[in-house]
Amino acid sequence: MDALHSLFAGFGTAMTPLNLLWALIGVTLGTLVGVLPGIGPALTVALLLPVTAKLPAVSAFIMFAGIYYGGMFGGSTTSILLNTPGESSSIITALEGNKMARRGRAAAALATAAIGSFVAGTIGTVLLTFFAPAIADIAVQIPPSAKFALIMLAFVTISATFGGSPLRGLISLFFGLAIGLIGTDSQSGQARFTLGRPELLDGIDFITVVIGLFAIGETLYVASRFRKTQDVIKLEGGATMNRDDWRRSWKPWLRGTALGFPFGAIPAGGAEIPTFLSYTLEKRLSKHPEEFGKGAIEGVAGPEAANNASAAGVLVPLLTLGLPTSATAAILLAAFQQYGLQPGPLLFLTNADLVWGLIASLYIGNVMLLLLNLPLAPIWARLLLIPRPYLYAGILVFSTVGVYSLNNSVFDLFLLALFGVIGYGMRRFDFPVTPAIIGVVLGPTAESFFRTALQQSNGDATIFLRSPLTVFILLIVLLALVVPPVLRARARRAAPTA
Amino acid sequence: MSDPTPPLSRAPRSGVSVPDLLVALGVTIVGALLLFGAFAIPFGINAVVGPRVFPLIVGGGTLLLGVILTALTLRGDRAEPSAEEDTDPDAPADLSSPGVILGGFLLGSVLLAPLGFVIGTAVMYFSVAFAFGERRYALMTAISLIVALVTYVVFTRGLGLSLPAGVLKGLL
């Protein structure tokens, strides 16, 4: 077993006291930002990027992985106790979990979310361990034209399946692509869209875009429609479940995992679809369908597991193909690039210690998160009571540090304000932010594969139709663009009241 | 547009929303400007695919999407503001609060270099807390300065970033 052998070597890397400490810092920070409104794991990794520049790459990524998984655990606390999902994948947890909490079952809801996340995260990591090297082996042989087609697939599925409107998703994507164009063209050295400003010759740092769109945009938007009353449900004691809760939870955990992992691994627009599917499935299979909508534990266990399994699944295309399928994955990709690493099939050969150290740290992080979340649930719940004026003010100051320390330039802060205003507008006018982030990070890579493919064929555009693999992927791209609107239109015709 | 695609938002069709129309026209104009800017990029020498091709695609695509959005908006489509953890979707939008934050942020940015990081970010902190409805001025001032100072010390001493000390140069 080659993968097992590599994994043991990875544990050797991850189990050093210093790396364990970074993993602990990561999962703690991740839980913290998962619980706090206004910031998510994507933003936290972006904020920490300038700060971690001095760390060795392995330690930085072990911490980032902890933040990634931790954010998934922490998000359920907010959904259950505050009834306000921070992201679309937590909608179901907010729906059923908060009803449970209102019936005095907050401890059980938090426990089934945490243990379900642990089960799903661990199984997902096992699958990642064995799938990723196999896919990396195949991926080495993919030609540039197919790589370009794969990026198109990621672009289209992420834009067209996120949120309610494919059109708005695509506009967001093109906005990101346009930002990615700014600066000196890497192949010809030609300046593009710099408006004559020397500050723009290096392009706009994606950290400025991410922090502007997420943190500043969120702060401006929340300020415009601030809800002054917070209805936080009190939690007494740790998160625990009784025998009956266990009996009703374990199957949904496993089914949720089975749904979540593949949806994370294919570029299909993140965790929203599998959580909804898991909820529907549990409702159909349950012996207590009447409890659904009133606080059924299966309705928390399944979707939370699906959510976390998809988070593990997302790492498969990220590590093996360099394809991010969520905002956080896009930032992790950019973080790799900042360390001079290109995620993809070769990463498993050239940086085996990093990849396997990262994967091993996911197992460790999951155990840490379980220990951190069950007994300490009341402490995390307390975070929800932080007065919002001070919380959002703090987020803004940390954002400023993150962006200013990139180049020590006030110009970057003006750019940050500009992206903040755009981020506000995107929330106000229902444009999803994630496609823009993916566009900024992946746009230059897409252009590079596009041009490499055409250079290899001497400018003959039929190169994109010659490889069967490329044609196949481009066909799926076309289907992903056409099918969802058709299905939507048909569903609307069938149920005009929906 | 003869495209029979139904409106994409869930909101009822009742008249054209002016803010939505402005956004749609804005996207269209940005697309046109991108396309115009792309034509200004030289072809590039010795390159099969020059630096101009991809910007042309991005500009043209944005223009096309902007035109579609404008057409849908004119047919009554409108965006539904997103619901966040701390927002009340039914509350009327209050634009003065984001204005205060933005003003405080820009003022703090300008003051950052001459007066130093601590004072610059304290101004930002204060303006956000004010915009979110906090009115205990003495407490806000104290917390703003403490947060800014602690952040400065942690990031410069602990993590080795260089941030401008400004007027507090001798003290820190």
Side-chain angles (χ1 to χ4, degrees):
Chain A
M1 293 302 280
D2 226 16
L4 273 183
H5 187 259
S6 312
L7 183 65
F8 281 125
F11 270 104
T13 311
M15 295 287 257
T16 62
L18 208 56
N19 282 342
L20 282 176
L21 180 68
W22 288 118
L24 185 65
I25 293 175
V27 293
T28 311
L29 274 177
T31 313
L32 191 77
V33 304
V35 173
L36 289 178
I39 31 180
L43 179 62
T44 313
V45 176
L47 278 174
L48 286 174
L49 262 184
V51 178
T52 53
K54 286 181 182 156
L55 279 184
V58 179
S59 306
F61 281 102
I62 284 177
M63 181 170 74
F64 292 154
I67 294 172
Y68 184 48
Y69 270 21
M72 300 285 159
F73 272 72
S76 57
T77 307
T78 320
S79 308
I80 291 167
L81 297 180
L82 196 61
N83 189 28
T84 44
E87 45 198 328
S88 50
S89 57
S90 302
I91 290 174
I92 302 289
T93 313
L95 195 76
E96 290 294 332
N98 188 256
K99 294 269 167 54
M100 277 183 79
R102 279 183 201 289
R103 286 184 1 202
R105 304 234 54 219
L110 287 171
T112 197
I115 302 171
S117 297
F118 169 76
V119 171
T122 305
I123 297 177
T125 310
V126 172
L127 294 173
L128 170 72
T129 306
F130 291 101
F131 268 113
I135 294 177
D137 278 347
I138 303 168
V140 180
Q141 296 150 25
I142 296 179
S145 67
K147 281 185 183 149
F148 172 75
L150 269 177
I151 294 180
M152 290 298 110
L153 182 63
F155 278 167
V156 166
T157 51
I158 287 158
S159 322
T161 56
F162 255 92
S165 155
L167 176 66
R168 290 169 190 280
L170 285 173
I171 290 175
S172 171
L173 170 73
F174 272 78
F175 167 64
L177 290 176
I179 301 301
L181 289 176
I182 295 173
T184 311
D185 171 34
S186 59
Q187 294 196 8
S188 68
Q190 190 65 54
R192 300 193 294 195
F193 300 107
T194 56
L195 308 173
R197 301 280 320 205
E199 292 96 334
L200 290 175
L201 280 176
D202 282 338
I204 294 176
D205 215 299
F206 81 95
I207 295 176
T208 313
V209 183
V210 170
I211 295 178
L213 291 184
F214 277 117
I216 313 291
E218 179 82 2
T219 306
L220 293 175
Y221 184 69
V222 173
S224 74
R225 299 170 180 263
F226 183 48
R227 177 174 47 184
K228 294 203 168 57
T229 50
Q230 251 89 32
D231 184 14
V232 182
I233 294 168
K234 290 246 161 45
L235 177 70
E236 278 143 29
T240 47
M241 297 200 295
N242 60 35
R243 184 183 290 265
D244 190 46
D245 294 331
W246 278 95
R247 192 179 51 73
R248 289 177 59 177
S249 289
W250 71 272
K251 280 186 205 158
W253 290 337
L254 295 182
R255 286 192 288 256
T257 308
L259 281 173
F261 185 82
F263 270 96
I266 56 171
E272 190 179 327
I273 299 168
T275 51
F276 275 91
L277 282 178
S278 163
Y279 184 71
T280 321
L281 181 71
E282 294 312 329
K283 193 172 179 179
R284 189 166 298 167
L285 293 175
S286 171
K287 290 192 188 101
H288 319 271
E290 75 286 351
E291 276 186 31
F292 276 76
K294 296 181 196 131
I297 193 163
E298 294 93 339
V300 181
E304 266 305 305
N307 189 5
N308 258 56
S310 82
V314 161
L315 294 174
V316 175
L318 177 68
L319 292 176
T320 59
L321 300 166
L323 269 190
T325 53
S326 71
T328 316
I331 311 224
L332 285 175
L333 174 70
F336 273 108
Q337 290 168 347
Q338 194 149 37
Y339 276 95
L341 303 165
Q342 183 57 49
L346 292 174
L347 195 67
F348 281 81
L349 299 174
T350 54
N351 289 80
D353 54 333
L354 186 142
V355 178
W356 289 104
L358 178 70
I359 293 176
S361 82
L362 294 175
Y363 289 95
I364 299 168
N366 257 304
V367 176
M368 285 179 174
L369 279 166
L370 191 64
L371 298 178
L372 215 55
N373 273 270
L374 289 181
L376 299 184
I379 296 178
W380 300 117
R382 280 273 178 87
L383 286 174
L384 289 172
L385 302 173
I386 293 180
R388 295 303 187 258
Y390 298 102
L391 175 68
Y392 282 95
I395 292 172
L396 189 103
V397 166
F398 283 120
S399 306
T400 309
V401 182
V403 170
Y404 184 77
S405 59
L406 287 175
N407 304 316
N408 279 16
S409 131
V410 173
F411 181 80
D412 284 356
L413 290 183
F414 293 143
L415 277 182
L416 182 68
L418 175 68
F419 284 110
V421 173
I422 295 172
Y424 168 86
M426 290 175 83
R427 284 171 178 77
R428 164 65 185 83
F429 292 100
D430 203 19
F431 292 97
V433 173
T434 301
I437 303 297
I438 303 264
V440 173
V441 173
L442 220 49
T445 318
E447 179 177 12
S448 149
F449 282 133
F450 177 70
R451 283 159 77 172
T452 311
L454 279 176
Q455 267 148 17
Q456 281 176 358
S457 71
N458 260 322
D460 182 1
T462 59
I463 179 90
F464 294 110
L465 304 173
R466 254 184 264 156
S467 143
L469 180 63
T470 312
V471 173
F472 177 69
I473 300 169
L474 286 175
L475 261 176
I476 302 178
V477 172
L478 203 66
L479 286 178
L481 264 183
V482 174
V483 170
V486 171
L487 286 182
R488 233 177 280 251
R490 281 184 55 175
R492 194 165 290 131
R493 223 166 294 147
T497 48
Chain B
M1 290 294 293
S2 59
D3 184 356
T5 320
L8 297 156
S9 106
R10 294 127 289 189
R13 286 205 224 177
S14 53
V16 176
S17 152
V18 176
D20 278 88
L21 188 62
L22 289 177
V23 169
L25 288 174
V27 174
T28 314
I29 292 169
V30 168
L33 288 176
L34 280 172
L35 201 59
F36 183 72
F39 276 115
I41 299 169
F43 273 105
I45 321 145
N46 296 332
V48 178
V49 193
R52 190 195 248 195
V53 178
F54 212 69
L56 284 177
I57 299 172
V58 174
T62 310
L63 182 61
L64 177 70
L65 293 169
V67 169
I68 298 176
L69 185 67
T70 308
L72 287 177
T73 308
L74 284 174
R75 280 175 32 171
D77 183 33
R78 58 178 66 203
E80 199 168 287
S82 73
E84 312 279 327
E85 279 165 331
D86 279 334
T87 57
D88 179 357
D90 302 322
D94 155 35
L95 285 180
S96 63
S97 300
V100 168
I101 295 175
L102 204 61
F105 182 81
L106 292 175
L107 180 66
S109 303
V110 172
L111 295 178
L112 199 69
L115 292 187
F117 179 85
V118 174
I119 300 202
T121 50
V123 169
M124 296 178 187
Y125 193 98
F126 189 93
S127 65
V128 178
F130 180 85
F132 273 86
E134 179 63 270
R135 289 294 178 271
R136 291 169 285 179
Y137 294 105
L139 183 71
M140 283 160 74
T141 312
I143 293 188
S144 303
L145 287 168
I146 291 170
V147 169
L149 195 65
V150 169
T151 311
Y152 180 84
V153 171
V154 167
F155 280 86
T156 52
R157 298 285 155 77
L159 296 159
L161 299 181
S162 71
L163 300 169
V167 288
L168 297 171
K169 196 160 193 171
L171 294 168
L172 291 170

